[in-house]
Amino acid sequence: MKRTSTKARPADAARQDALEAIRVLVNSLRQSARTIERRTGATNAQVFLLQQLAGEPGLSVNDLAERAKTNQSTVSVVVARLVDAGLVRKERSAADARTAVLQLTPDGRRLVRRAPAPPTALLLDAVGSLNARQARELASGMRALIRALELESQVPKLLFERTSRTRP
């Protein structure tokens, strides 16, 4: 039996711990996203945005992007799918007619009532609970992993959102 040096063991153990943590996270998020899709027919990202609108009707696309910690163009694509599916409607803001605000339709409200908490909401809450040092370490480690996997160009802007024009 080949013996590894004492120096290698802590690094190997740390890598094993990292892989275990990734497996737990990915599996949990995947199962949660599947449950949402089965129960609602909508993606995790769609349910997350619908739940944000249920909590505060009359948000703009920019408001939703801020809540999702992503950009306006990404949210705009998802909102267009929700409008196409009849779950959201766009209206002119009473305060500023140049601004469009979003409202849930009755179908959108029904979907939100039967939807569990989406992984996006849970993940945003969990990351938000990290202190600054933990957040920096997590970001650094995740960026290193993404670089090692050569995935820099494949980072989605919303969790579990399909790139095709799939409707909920």
Side-chain angles (χ1 to χ4, degrees):
M1 173 160 100
K2 186 177 178 185
R3 198 151 192 150
T4 58
S5 73
T6 350
K7 271 188 166 175
R9 282 194 198 133
D12 290 344
R15 288 183 187 101
Q16 186 62 36
D17 287 349
L19 286 171
E20 176 89 8
I22 291 168
R23 286 184 191 114
V24 168
L25 181 63
V26 169
N27 187 51
S28 176
L29 292 173
R30 184 179 53 230
Q31 285 179 352
S32 182
R34 281 188 195 153
T35 298
I36 283 177
E37 288 202 38
R38 271 195 313 271
R39 194 174 293 177
T40 67
T43 67
N44 164 66
Q46 291 166 340
V47 171
F48 176 77
L49 295 180
L50 290 170
Q51 288 180 341
Q52 297 307 300
L53 287 172
E56 193 174 340
L59 295 173
S60 69
V61 169
N62 286 336
D63 295 331
L64 286 175
E66 185 178 312
R67 283 171 171 74
K69 307 290 188 237
T70 191
N71 60 52
Q72 177 272 336
S73 61
T74 299
V75 170
S76 186
V77 170
V78 179
V79 166
R81 292 178 189 154
L82 294 170
V83 169
D84 289 348
L87 300 171
V88 170
R89 70 175 179 275
K90 284 186 178 184
E91 300 174 349
R92 290 283 158 212
S93 168
D96 181 356
R98 297 171 297 172
T99 305
V101 294
L102 305 168
Q103 302 289 341
L104 292 179
T105 65
D107 286 344
R109 283 190 292 280
R110 277 191 291 279
L111 188 147
V112 168
R113 278 195 298 273
R114 70 177 188 268
T120 294
L122 301 173
L123 190 58
L124 286 172
D125 288 346
V127 170
S129 73
L130 299 176
N131 65 41
R133 182 186 56 76
Q134 291 169 323
R136 281 190 304 273
E137 289 172 357
L138 176 62
S140 175
M142 294 303 292
R143 281 192 304 269
L145 183 59
I146 288 167
R147 278 191 306 274
L149 293 168
E150 299 178 2
L151 298 175
E152 294 95 338
S153 65
Q154 299 178 30
V155 179
K157 300 299 181 188
L158 280 169
L159 283 178
F160 303 101
E161 183 57 24
R162 295 184 187 112
T163 54
S164 66
R165 294 281 300 172
T166 306
R167 290 189 191 194

